[in-house]
């Protein structure tokens, strides 16, 4: 680590809502933004507030982005991704990926200023283009693991 590196303890969360009866997931099509020059598919999520429990942050972000309601007790931590460079280009963050097949409410695009649409999509993979970390999280969830992965870091050398 260089002397000018900034250590961040920023946490992000996302939720894979899996309708097992139809094998679909709730997905969002993000509009182009300053940190994403092109629209891209993702699963609902966002930043945890300082001092906010991660499971509650995940339930809050899900409700804010989709209108879907979950009990934080029904969320299962299924994957963790250590991301080398965040959306704001000021350093790393950790993404905690939760999943559940229990929810209430209907899927709605509650943030049309951020998302083009909210849709139920086949659970095998997100359409392209997809946020790399969302695709990575969904792939790990579908495969039953691994519990941890990295994104954006240099490859591990022996």
């Amino acid at each position: 680590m260089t002397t000018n590196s900034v250590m961040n303890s920023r946490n992000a969360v996302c939720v894979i809502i899996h309708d097992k009866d139809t094998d679909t997931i709730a997905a969002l099509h993000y509009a182009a933004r300053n940190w994403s020059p092109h629209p891209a598919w993702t699963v609902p999520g966002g930043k945890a507030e300082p001092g906010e429990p991660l499971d509650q942050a995940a339930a809050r972000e899900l409700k804010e982005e989709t209108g879907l309601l979950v009990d934080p007790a029904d969320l299962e931590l299924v994957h963790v991704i250590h991301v080398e460079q965040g959306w704001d280009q000021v350093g790393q963050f950790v993404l905690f990926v939760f999943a559940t097949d229990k929810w209430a409410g209907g899927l709605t695009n509650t943030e049309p200023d951020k998302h083009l649409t909210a849709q139920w999509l086949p659970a095998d993979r997100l359409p392209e283009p997809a946020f790399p970390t969302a695709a990575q999280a969904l792939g790990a969830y579908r495969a039953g693991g691994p519990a941890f992965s990295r994104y954006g870091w240099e490859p591990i050398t022996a």
Side-chain angles (χ1 to χ4, degrees):
M1 180 178 349
T2 62
T3 57
N4 64 356
S5 292
V6 176
M7 270 312 260
N8 293 309
S9 61
R10 303 180 308 156
N11 295 318
V13 293
C14 69
V15 182
I16 298 169
I17 297 289
H18 189 180
D19 184 336
K20 292 184 178 178
D21 291 339
T22 60
D23 200 23
T24 57
I25 60 165
L28 296 169
H29 197 196
Y30 259 85
R33 315 245 323 167
N34 59 344
W35 45 267
S36 178
H38 305 286
W41 288 95
T42 191
V43 293
K47 296 174 272 193
E49 299 296 331
E52 183 180 27
L54 296 172
D55 56 347
Q56 289 179 6
R60 176 186 53 76
E61 284 288 344
L62 179 70
K63 179 183 176 188
E64 287 176 4
E65 291 194 334
T66 67
L68 297 175
L69 304 174
V70 296
D71 182 337
D74 290 331
L75 294 174
E76 177 185 356
L77 181 65
V78 295
H79 194 68
V80 176
I81 303 174
H82 192 189
V83 180
E84 188 269 336
Q85 188 58 252
W87 57 90
D88 50 9
Q89 300 300 306
V90 296
Q92 59 186 280
F93 71 95
V94 179
L95 174 63
F96 295 85
V97 183
F98 293 91
T100 188
D101 61 357
K102 298 175 185 173
W103 73 92
L107 181 62
T108 306
N109 181 7
T110 58
E111 296 182 320
D113 57 319
K114 291 183 183 179
H115 311 129
L116 300 174
T117 189
Q119 292 182 11
W120 291 100
L121 297 175
D124 59 340
R125 66 179 180 79
L126 289 168
E128 292 295 330
F131 282 159
T133 51
Q136 192 170 321
L138 183 58
Y141 165 73
R142 294 289 292 184
F148 174 81
S149 64
R150 304 180 323 169
Y151 178 78
W153 297 90
E154 292 293 322
I156 299 172
T157 56

